Amino acid sequence: MDSATSEARTPLGASADQGFKIVVVGGFGVGKTTLVRSVSEIRPLNTEETMTQASATVDDIRQVRGKSATTVAFDFGRISLDARKVLYLFGAPGQERFWFLWDRLFSGTLGAVVLVDTRRIDDSWYAIDRLEHHGTPFVVACNDFGGPVRAGAEVRAALDLDPQVPLVDCDARSRESGKQVLITLVQHVKNRYADPSARAGLPRQEFV
């Protein structure tokens, strides 16, 4: 298993002059903080707070019994594509009471990763709805929680995904797995920018 802490964190090179914003969204407890933490080159900024008994009356924790902390603003990390291009990663909080933050986080976003727990697939609907509303390119990544694997066609049907939206499996704890998700997203965005018919709805950025 790859670990984000097993590799030295490297400083941002002086030649880096293009930054692109990526948002990681999804339901409560699907692994967004873990994904940002695992792929980030820098020590990630986390806004996690300990969950208290009071939150049990607000957040549905029935499917995440082992969760002891939760993101209350956003997570932030960074990963270099090459000497000039850098991805800035923002992990959005998953609880419904923090969804009002999402539209702000989506502003200026190049693309997004929708992280899905296939045991709680309905929790992903809101994220997909908001991304489609903003016209933001996204990929869907099914995080591995050790349960039965659902077929891609079944997940696509459950989420009513457009055939052009990439769907991949991942393990948010693994740096290599997380990198593959980001590579898939970057390629998807590049393909969208290369398509004149789709370019009108994309953020005003050049991605070459």
Side-chain angles (χ1 to χ4, degrees):
M1 180 69 66
D2 292 321
S3 169
T5 59
S6 63
E7 300 178 26
R9 307 291 184 175
T10 56
L12 185 62
S15 61
D17 59 6
Q18 290 183 283
F20 302 101
K21 180 180 178 183
I22 299 296
V23 175
V24 182
V25 293
F28 181 42
V30 296
K32 299 179 295 297
T33 296
T34 301
L35 179 63
V36 172
R37 184 181 294 145
S38 69
V39 301
S40 179
E41 298 170 342
I42 61 174
R43 185 182 298 277
L45 168 66
N46 299 128
T47 56
E48 284 192 311
E49 295 292 341
T50 301
M51 296 180 66
T52 65
Q53 189 62 37
S55 69
T57 62
V58 180
D59 303 319
D60 186 356
I61 62 172
R62 288 173 297 178
Q63 299 296 324
V64 287
R65 292 292 186 185
K67 191 171 178 61
S68 60
T70 186
T71 300
V72 296
F74 60 84
D75 304 308
F76 175 77
R78 187 196 75 207
I79 186 169
S80 298
L81 295 178
D82 55 35
R84 295 188 57 200
K85 300 181 183 70
V86 180
L87 295 182
Y88 294 108
L89 308 174
F90 291 81
Q95 302 99 304
E96 184 174 353
R97 57 192 167 114
F98 294 125
W99 284 353
F100 71 93
L101 295 171
W102 286 18
D103 286 345
R104 289 290 187 107
L105 283 176
F106 291 163
S107 177
T109 297
L110 182 74
V113 174
V114 179
L115 205 56
V116 173
D117 178 351
T118 57
R119 302 169 302 176
R120 299 180 286 126
I121 206 162
D122 288 349
D123 292 354
S124 308
W125 271 104
Y126 184 78
I128 292 173
D129 176 75
R130 298 314 299 164
L131 290 168
E132 291 179 340
H133 172 78
H134 284 270
T136 303
F138 65 93
V139 300
V140 174
C142 298
N143 196 9
D144 179 12
F145 283 90
V149 177
R150 297 182 69 170
E154 183 182 357
V155 175
R156 280 192 176 277
L159 293 174
D160 193 25
L161 285 183
D162 186 285
Q164 302 303 315
V165 175
L167 174 66
V168 297
D169 294 321
C170 79
D171 183 339
R173 301 165 297 180
S174 165
R175 172 170 286 191
E176 288 306 314
S177 182
K179 282 182 177 180
Q180 287 304 311
V181 172
L182 295 177
I183 288 170
T184 301
L185 174 62
V186 169
Q187 189 60 56
H188 178 53
V189 172
K190 289 180 71 174
N191 292 341
R192 287 282 302 274
Y193 271 93
D195 181 359
S197 65
R199 194 180 302 158
L202 293 172
R204 293 176 177 271
Q205 300 187 55
E206 290 187 9
F207 191 75
V208 295

